[in-house]
Each structure stands twice: as structure tokens, then as C-alpha cells.
Amino acid sequence: MTTILLTLLKILAIIIPLLIAIAYFTLVERKILGAIQRRRGPNVVGTYGLLQPLADGFKLFVKEALIPSLANKTLFILSPIITFTISLMGWAVIPYGQYSLFADIGLSLLFLLAMSSLGVFGIIMSGWSSNSQYAFLGSLRSAAQMVSYEVSIGFILCSIACITGSFNLYEIILSQQKAWFVILYFPLFLMFFISSLAETNRHPFDLPEAEAELVSGYNVEYSAMGFALFFLGEYANMLLMSSLNSILFFGGWQAPFEFLEGGSIWMALKICFFVILFIIMRATLPRYRYDQLMKLGWKTFLPLSLAYLLYSAFILISLNATPY
């Protein structure tokens, strides 16, 4: 009983700060977008709009949930729950600091890849169960996009595992004590970051939610808490990809210089850096055409990531070297 209670407390210790971070991520995004577009952003609810995320959440919570009369009601209700739950599960293996880790899984990279792949099901179910052509087309676009870029992400993760000799995120961070991988493998970092944008359906790859074409895409029929769960799941995935970028290429909790102490504060700062990058991409880049999106994924990133994997393996074998 004590072990179960302790596990539940650990889960809450991860989920509650994460939900608060997601809420204020939306505020930061709107403020930065407002600054870039020379406007104020939210500034009415609370001082400098600090209570705006709470007001938005309360509004969605008390709104009436409308279900289309021809929709498959069971799948329609389950889809946002599945999407949100899967987006939280990946955080179980993220090391926040040297001694802050919920589950030390030996194959934590594969676990994250599996959770990322399962996220497609919630989106496909939502588009099909809505019984709407716009929602179904958006869900098909999203599934094709996520599957396409997961292939190159998988090869990039295999390259990192080949270099470090481990699929464990904790050991990958420890292997960057001498030099961060962003310095040694900058092309891999660029491909992984761009694939992260595509995987989370963010600009310039937000084709599944193209307002001008699909009237918001797969979640067009959702309102109230159903829409909120999709929204929370999307932003949780963005934070997860930001933390993964920090871990794989920027040394996780490690400080940039040896004379500085590493810790969770460095991990948080690196995640914030990538969060701001996500927002700047939304403010500055135009949307890709769908054929350009697929061409970039299959004809550019896939050959390059596969070549990098073969190159890494060849160097280790030919030099009879051991991973880090």
C-alpha cells in the first residue's frame, strides 16, 4: 500500500507541474507572438495577463460538450482522452536532473518512440468518429505526416544509440560530459529539430490544422473539454520534444561549462530555449505545401539520417572503437 501511494505521489509530482507548465506555455506563446506582431497579447485577466491560462481553462471546463448526432459517440469521447494520456506517458522516462528520474528504463529511447507512434491512433480515431469530411481529411494528413517523420526520427535515435552504445537517456546524457552532441553532430540536431516540428504538427508543418483549408482539421467537431484535451496533448508533446532535444544534443542537466554546476535548472533553461524556438517558428515561417512536406521527409531527411547511421556504424567498426 505504501509503495502504491508513493508511486501515485511521484506521478502527481510530474503531472501537476507539467500541466502548469503547459498552461503558461500558452501564455508565453501569445505574449511572444504579440511582441513579434507589435501588439500586447493577453493583458486583462490578472497582472500582465498572468491569470489568462486559468480563465481559458475554466471557460473550457464549464462549456457544454457538443457531440455530433451522426458521430460514433464512444470513440468520439475516447479519442482526446487517449491522445492526452499518451502525451503524458512519455514523461515517465525523462531525466530532469542527475537524481530526478521516475522510471529508469534501459530502452527509454524505444519507449519514447513507441509512445510517439501510439499518438497517431487518437488523432485517426477522432477524425473518423467525428463523421466529418474536414476532420477525417485532417486526421489522415496528420497520420501520414507523423509516420513519415517518425522514420527519420527513428534513424536519428539509432545513430545516437550507436554513438553512445545505449538506448538509455540517462547514459546518453552522461556520455556528453566532454562535448555536447550538438557540436559533434550538428546536421543530426538540425534534422531532429525540424522533424520535431513536423511530429508535433507545428509551423511550418501545421497542415493537419490548416485553418484556411480544413477549418481546424481533426478537432473541428470538438468543444469544451474534448478540445482542451487535444490542446493539452499537443503542448505536452511540444514540451516533450523540447526536453528530448535538450537531452540528446545539449547534455540534459549538464552545465555548458565545467566550472558551473549542473542540475535541473539547466534542463529547464534548455527546454525554455526550445519552447521559444517553437514559438518563433510559428511567427516567422509560412506553411509548407503538402507535397513539399512529404518530399522533405522521404527524399531528404530519410536518406540523410540513414547515411548518418551507416557512417557512424562504419567509423566505429573500421576504427575498432567503442561508443562513448
Side-chain angles (χ1 to χ4, degrees):
M1 187 67 183
T2 308
T3 308
I4 296 172
L5 185 60
L6 186 61
T7 304
L8 288 174
L9 289 174
K10 286 182 179 179
I11 292 171
L12 289 176
I14 294 173
I15 290 178
I16 292 174
L18 177 61
L19 293 178
I20 295 172
I22 292 169
Y24 281 93
F25 182 0
T26 62
L27 178 66
V28 170
E29 180 176 35
R30 293 161 76 182
K31 284 287 190 183
I32 293 176
L33 290 176
I36 291 173
Q37 297 164 0
R38 296 177 69 91
R39 55 185 177 82
R40 290 183 181 275
N43 65 340
V44 175
V45 185
T47 308
Y48 301 111
L50 289 175
L51 298 180
Q52 185 67 51
L54 303 179
D56 291 338
F58 181 72
K59 179 197 74 171
L60 289 170
F61 182 74
V62 299
K63 280 184 72 173
E64 179 185 2
L66 300 176
I67 300 177
S69 57
L70 298 177
N72 185 315
K73 293 180 176 55
T74 304
L75 292 181
F76 187 84
I77 294 169
L78 280 178
S79 299
I81 297 171
I82 290 171
T83 301
F84 177 64
T85 305
I86 290 173
S87 71
L88 295 181
M89 289 174 68
W91 286 92
V93 296
I94 297 294
Y96 311 97
Q98 193 166 1
Y99 307 106
S100 304
L101 180 62
F102 177 75
D104 189 11
I105 301 173
L107 300 175
S108 50
L109 265 184
L110 294 182
F111 176 80
L112 282 174
L113 199 59
M115 291 301 104
S116 174
S117 302
L118 288 174
V120 178
F121 289 98
I123 292 173
I124 284 286
M125 287 166 58
S126 68
W128 181 83
S129 64
S130 297
N131 198 27
S132 165
Q133 292 178 347
Y134 291 113
F136 188 54
L137 181 57
S139 65
L140 289 179
R141 276 187 173 190
S142 182
Q145 177 174 320
M146 293 172 77
V147 169
S148 299
Y149 282 86
E150 273 171 10
V151 177
S152 55
I153 284 178
F155 281 126
I156 293 168
L157 296 182
C158 287
S159 298
I160 296 294
C162 182
I163 293 160
T164 58
S166 174
F167 279 97
N168 187 286
L169 292 176
Y170 192 89
E171 293 182 13
I172 289 172
I173 293 175
L174 293 179
S175 65
Q176 299 179 62
Q177 289 177 342
K178 295 180 181 178
W180 291 353
F181 287 160
V182 67
I183 300 169
L184 302 173
Y185 311 105
F186 186 72
L188 276 184
F189 161 68
L190 277 183
M191 287 191 290
F192 188 80
F193 178 69
I194 296 170
S195 298
S196 302
L197 293 172
E199 186 71 14
T200 52
N201 299 330
R202 291 290 289 187
H203 284 68
F205 308 113
D206 64 328
L207 288 152
E209 301 174 15
E211 294 89 352
E213 307 160 29
L214 299 177
V215 202
S216 185
Y218 60 87
N219 56 9
V220 65
E221 301 291 347
Y222 283 88
S223 60
M225 283 308 294
F227 175 80
L229 289 176
F230 274 124
F231 194 75
L232 291 171
E234 180 181 333
Y235 278 77
N237 281 328
M238 276 191 278
L239 287 172
L240 182 64
M241 296 307 289
S242 298
S243 64
L244 203 52
N245 273 285
S246 306
I247 289 167
L248 296 179
F249 297 99
F250 283 78
W253 68 78
Q254 296 185 35
F257 303 105
E258 291 185 3
F259 60 86
L260 296 173
E261 281 191 26
S264 299
I265 185 65
W266 285 108
M267 182 72 174
L269 289 174
K270 292 169 186 176
I271 291 174
C272 289
F273 168 74
F274 282 104
V275 162
I276 292 171
L277 272 185
F278 269 87
I279 297 169
I280 291 174
M281 294 296 160
R282 178 177 181 180
T284 56
L285 296 178
R287 183 180 297 136
Y288 265 46
R289 260 196 347 255
Y290 200 74
D291 61 316
Q292 294 172 331
L293 170 80
M294 287 300 169
K295 183 178 179 181
L296 180 67
W298 289 105
K299 293 187 176 181
T300 305
F301 282 5
L302 178 59
L304 281 176
S305 57
L306 181 57
Y308 230 104
L309 173 60
L310 295 175
Y311 171 74
S312 303
F314 174 76
I315 291 295
L316 288 175
I317 293 170
S318 61
L319 299 178
N320 197 20
T322 56
Y324 280 89

